[in-house]
Amino acid sequence: QEITFEINYNIFFHESQKFHKGHFYNFQNWYVTVLPYLDGMNYKYPLHKFIEPYLEYSDYSINLKIPEIFDIAASGDIGMSLEDGSKIFECTANGINNFSWFAFNSLSKHKKEISINGKEFDVIVFIKESKAGYVERYFEATEKYMQSLSEYVVYPFGSITIVDLPNVSNLESKSYSNLISLKSDLISPIRTQKIEYKLAALIAEQYFGNIVISNNMEESWLSKGLSAFVGEKLVSEHYGKLFSYFNIADYYPIYGLHFMSYAGIPMIYTIGEHVIPEGARYIDSYYKNLAFADLSIPTYKLPSYDAYKVSSIVKPLIALLTLERFVGGKKFNENLSNYFHRNLFQYPTRKDFLEIMGKDCSLGNKKFYNELFNSSKIFDYGISYIDEREDNKYDIMVERIGSGITPIKLSVNRELDTLQIIWDGKEKFKIFTINSNSVIISAEIDAESKNLLDLNFANNSYVVEEQYWGSVSYATRVFFWFQNALMLIGGKG
């Protein structure tokens, strides 16, 4: 069934949207829309201030007449002509679920044609002249990411447009159909990968949120979380591991090591580099917002933007990374590709996703996947003690501290080798008795760090005879000299 709407109305630009002598306006959800009609019912929801509406795939033909001083960026192909001091923009876009656009008079336009698997299309970047140094980074990253994503499907549209948002605006980085808005820092060295990381997730959402549409009002994690996961992989593939650096306004905490701090602010910093593990950008947000980590709660019922972010991006990203480690990278990628192709220009649900991702998995693992994506259960395992008894026997007690259950591996480190014991993780506690002629030095739960949702990695290991004072003494001296050096540098202004 086909429905056609023709709409005519005027829009007035507000002076309040003026930024440093430049104007910038964003138009989204600005016209009458069609509710999806699926399985014999209409899906209707009230408009939400930070959740995208659930809309049908549609074809758009739009004429915009605006003052001559303005340019636009929009979801689709654009033609422009002049008429009596105005610009007439003719925009067409087919097979998308929403049409959004920006109007501005202080951004410069940059365009590059790229080729992916023999198909030519344009990458267009609108950005302030003061940040023109980022243009090549946008072009390079977009081409790399879309080359990798072509394994799912070659981008079906003729162009993609990126708008670098004004830093003083309150607009969020966002992925619309054929259109991306991104807020970059005034100073963003490439080693921080901040631009590349944001862009990766937004480009991934072009595929997992706009070409495959999920019901964001109910299950926004299915597009946002999947896109964040794919974005993490794209950055790792093309830019390598991310390292943290000393920064006066930012730092990377190493969890499980807590030195001096006041009100959560570290008083001792280290100067150097630490590899930031996958998902670590969001792990602190996950720890602080466990109440919103239940993905079975409909998105529109979440009370705030922070809750929305944790439920839609943070928890699903960490859960997907955990799922990948349990399934294995090759199998996970096969299932993810099958999910995408089966739902191309369709409306999948969490049931469709879990059914495909859980294919050929054991019942125990399927239960674990269900708890990851359909419950508020938390995961935490620890080792309570290692007790040496007579006759070369050792008792190792492990605990399931959280409510979630996952198969887990216990590694027992002896003088000459390591024993691996698989535990289904169901009991609240379990004592493993081991006969060993070789001295047991330590034990560790989940040594491979498969379960990234573990609430406390510090209790995952136990050493029989702790000999750490030498290391702590040395580290304390190093931190002391670093701290004093920083104070001297700061004192000099």
Side-chain angles (χ1 to χ4, degrees):
Q1 184 178 4
E2 183 176 298
I3 302 174
T4 302
F5 289 95
E6 183 172 335
I7 309 166
N8 293 283
Y9 57 86
N10 296 322
I11 298 174
F12 294 93
F13 292 169
H14 293 281
E15 186 69 17
S16 62
Q17 292 297 104
K18 188 174 181 180
F19 301 113
H20 299 292
K21 299 182 180 180
H23 292 267
F24 189 92
Y25 307 94
N26 171 220
F27 298 94
Q28 55 178 315
N29 306 323
W30 56 287
Y31 53 87
V32 174
T33 54
V34 180
L35 301 171
Y37 184 78
L38 304 171
D39 301 323
M41 64 176 290
N42 279 114
Y43 285 77
K44 53 185 178 181
Y45 302 89
L47 190 63
H48 202 286
K49 65 179 180 180
F50 51 75
I51 304 175
E52 289 300 302
Y54 191 29
L55 302 175
E56 284 272 18
Y57 291 101
S58 303
D59 298 336
Y60 295 85
S61 178
I62 295 175
N63 292 322
L64 298 172
K65 182 179 181 180
I66 61 177
E68 190 175 355
I69 65 169
F70 289 95
D71 285 313
I72 72 166
S75 301
D77 299 322
I78 303 173
M80 191 270 289
S81 61
L82 296 175
E83 179 184 297
D84 299 329
S86 298
K87 286 179 179 175
I88 308 298
F89 292 97
E90 295 183 355
C91 311
T92 58
N94 298 327
I96 64 175
N97 70 320
N98 68 76
F99 188 97
S100 302
W101 61 290
F102 294 85
F104 40 78
N105 70 339
S106 60
L107 303 183
S108 58
K109 180 179 180 180
H110 304 263
K111 183 178 178 180
K112 182 179 181 180
E113 186 180 84
I114 64 175
S115 176
I116 304 295
N117 291 349
K119 180 181 177 180
E120 308 291 331
F121 66 96
D122 295 326
V123 179
I124 301 166
V125 176
F126 287 97
I127 193 169
K128 290 187 71 70
E129 287 293 345
S130 59
K131 294 195 284 186
Y134 296 161
V135 172
E136 287 304 317
R137 287 172 65 181
Y138 279 126
F139 284 149
E140 178 187 352
T142 300
E143 185 168 7
K144 286 179 175 179
Y145 297 157
M146 299 190 87
Q147 184 69 55
S148 294
L149 289 167
S150 67
E151 69 179 68
Y152 298 109
V153 65
V154 177
Y155 196 63
F157 307 107
S159 65
I160 185 168
T161 301
I162 301 168
V163 178
D164 193 284
L165 296 171
N167 291 85
V168 291
S169 77
N170 59 1
L171 295 172
E172 295 283 339
S173 299
K174 207 165 187 178
S175 187
Y176 310 89
S177 296
N178 306 345
L179 178 65
I180 287 172
S181 64
L182 190 152
K183 183 176 288 186
S184 61
D185 295 336
L186 292 173
I187 300 175
S188 184
I190 192 169
R191 70 183 187 182
T192 67
Q193 296 181 4
K194 286 187 177 180
I195 290 176
E196 287 72 17
Y197 184 77
K198 285 184 179 179
L199 187 59
L202 294 169
I203 287 179
E205 195 175 341
Q206 290 289 313
Y207 292 76
F208 289 91
N210 294 324
I211 297 176
V212 173
I213 296 179
S214 304
N215 185 350
N216 283 324
M217 299 298 290
E218 297 272 357
E219 302 169 336
S220 64
W221 68 267
L222 203 49
S223 60
K224 304 292 183 181
L226 265 178
S227 299
F229 169 84
V230 174
E232 189 93 29
K233 296 299 178 181
L234 289 173
V235 175
S236 177
E237 175 186 351
H238 293 289
Y239 294 94
K241 294 179 179 179
L242 175 61
F243 290 84
S244 63
Y245 299 85
F246 175 81
N247 190 306
I248 193 65
D250 197 8
Y251 76 100
Y252 171 69
I254 303 175
Y255 293 97
L257 298 179
H258 185 73
F259 295 101
M260 296 178 64
S261 67
Y262 174 74
I265 303 172
M267 296 172 62
I268 297 180
Y269 291 83
T270 60
I271 300 177
E273 299 178 350
H274 299 283
V275 175
I276 297 181
E278 288 182 325
R281 292 173 177 87
Y282 292 126
I283 197 74
D284 189 47
S285 181
Y286 169 67
Y287 288 154
K288 291 177 180 177
N289 296 278
L290 292 174
F292 308 120
D294 183 353
L295 303 188
S296 67
I297 299 174
T299 309
Y300 70 90
K301 291 186 177 181
L302 297 171
S304 65
Y305 180 79
D306 288 338
Y308 162 78
K309 184 176 179 181
V310 171
S311 180
S312 301
I313 299 175
V314 175
K315 166 68 182 292
L317 168 61
I318 302 172
L320 287 165
L321 289 168
T322 298
L323 179 59
E324 179 193 31
R325 296 182 182 201
F326 274 87
V327 175
K330 183 178 179 180
K331 181 63 178 175
F332 184 94
N333 288 333
E334 288 177 1
N335 289 345
L336 187 59
S337 182
N338 289 337
Y339 164 79
F340 183 82
H341 283 107
R342 187 178 297 183
N343 295 290
L344 196 64
F345 294 103
Q346 299 297 320
Y347 305 87
T349 65
R350 80 172 64 228
K351 180 180 178 182
D352 301 318
F353 175 77
L354 292 177
E355 180 181 324
I356 293 175
M357 298 307 292
K359 187 178 180 182
D360 301 326
C361 293
S362 66
L363 291 176
N365 279 336
K366 285 184 178 180
K367 182 177 180 180
F368 172 52
Y369 304 161
N370 184 64
E371 291 188 347
L372 280 179
F373 297 101
N374 283 319
S375 78
S376 60
K377 292 184 178 180
I378 58 175
F379 299 85
D380 189 16
Y381 288 85
I383 299 178
S384 298
Y385 63 76
I386 300 176
D387 186 22
E388 182 180 2
R389 295 195 282 135
E390 70 284 351
D391 301 327
N392 298 323
K393 290 183 179 180
Y394 293 81
D395 290 334
I396 302 176
M397 179 175 168
V398 293
E399 290 184 86
R400 177 170 63 83
I401 302 166
S403 55
I405 296 173
T406 175
I408 203 159
K409 183 187 291 185
L410 171 65
S411 301
V412 181
N413 302 307
R414 303 190 293 186
E415 285 184 314
L416 300 177
D417 61 3
T418 300
L419 300 176
Q420 304 290 353
I421 302 171
I422 304 299
W423 177 36
D424 61 18
K426 292 180 180 180
E427 297 97 331
K428 287 293 293 181
F429 66 89
K430 188 174 180 67
I431 298 175
F432 292 94
T433 299
I434 299 172
N435 292 309
S436 177
N437 292 322
S438 181
V439 175
I440 290 179
I441 300 170
S442 63
E444 185 173 4
I445 281 277
D446 192 22
E448 298 169 341
S449 296
K450 286 187 174 182
N451 182 16
L452 297 178
L453 293 165
D454 195 310
L455 289 187
N456 184 4
F457 290 98
N459 65 2
N460 285 21
S461 60
Y462 190 95
V463 180
V464 175
E465 294 183 9
E466 298 179 341
Q467 298 176 348
Y468 53 80
W469 288 112
S471 299
V472 171
S473 175
Y474 175 76
T476 302
R477 292 169 186 267
V478 171
F479 287 135
F480 173 80
W481 289 113
F482 275 150
Q483 186 180 30
N484 278 273
L486 292 173
M487 291 173 67
L488 288 172
I489 293 170
K492 291 180 177 294

